[in-house]
Amino acid sequence: MSCKWNDQKSIILTRVVVAAAIAGCAVMTVCGPWLTRWMVSAHALPPASGPVLLGMGYVCAVLAFVMLVSLYKFLRRIEAGAVFVPANVTALRRISWCCAGAAVVCLPAGVGIYLPFAFLGVAAAFMALIVRVLKNAFAQAVRMKDELDYTI
């Protein structure tokens, strides 16, 4: 049995991590009210910020689920050898919009409620930008592949 690392093992590991993130997101969503109460008390935030944080958490949870499921499907297609296909461009577009949505939710919360949320918002905006560039590269590759397929 060979223990060498290869692309197949890398994709499997990434899929396992994404599946674990989906499970973690589900646990955090279920525990949202408790986590919100803990955060308000542990960081001495105004009690009125609790419902706002809970709402933000649920919005971010929806975005995270959509993003993670899209990423999982993207990885499954790559594992199957379908790399430069329109479905992957759509998945990357969806992932970038989810990151941008998280940035829109977290940046104002960092200013108005708790400063570390601003850093999360900046990180999410940066990820949205990186994924968007990757999406554009995939879209161009799909167009080039389609042109090549039609010329043969």
Side-chain angles (χ1 to χ4, degrees):
M1 183 171 118
S2 175
C3 291
K4 289 190 175 193
W5 196 254
N6 58 32
D7 291 341
Q8 182 68 21
K9 289 178 182 175
S10 179
I11 290 174
I12 290 170
L13 175 63
T14 306
R15 278 191 18 237
V16 168
V17 170
V18 170
I22 291 170
C25 189
V27 168
M28 290 187 70
T29 301
V30 170
C31 296
W34 179 82
L35 290 169
T36 301
R37 283 192 300 275
W38 171 82
M39 182 150 180
V40 168
S41 65
H43 296 283
L45 298 174
S49 64
V52 174
L53 288 174
L54 186 61
M56 278 179 32
Y58 285 138
V59 169
C60 286
V62 168
L63 293 169
F65 279 122
V66 170
M67 181 197 70
L68 290 168
V69 169
S70 296
L71 181 58
Y72 191 85
K73 289 178 180 179
F74 175 80
L75 291 168
R76 290 298 301 242
R77 282 189 294 272
I78 288 178
E79 185 177 33
V83 179
F84 298 117
V85 295
N88 283 345
V89 175
T90 301
L92 289 169
R93 181 180 295 115
R94 189 175 295 124
I95 291 167
S96 73
W97 279 113
C98 287
C99 290
V104 167
V105 170
C106 290
L107 280 170
V111 174
I113 297 174
Y114 187 57
L115 184 61
F117 284 133
F119 298 114
L120 290 174
V122 169
F126 186 67
M127 284 305 303
L129 179 64
I130 289 171
V131 174
R132 200 64 169 178
V133 169
L134 187 61
K135 188 268 316 170
N136 291 337
F138 264 71
Q140 182 65 28
V142 167
R143 282 191 294 275
M144 291 171 68
K145 180 181 168 281
D146 287 345
E147 286 178 18
L148 185 63
D149 288 345
Y150 289 132
T151 60
I152 294 178

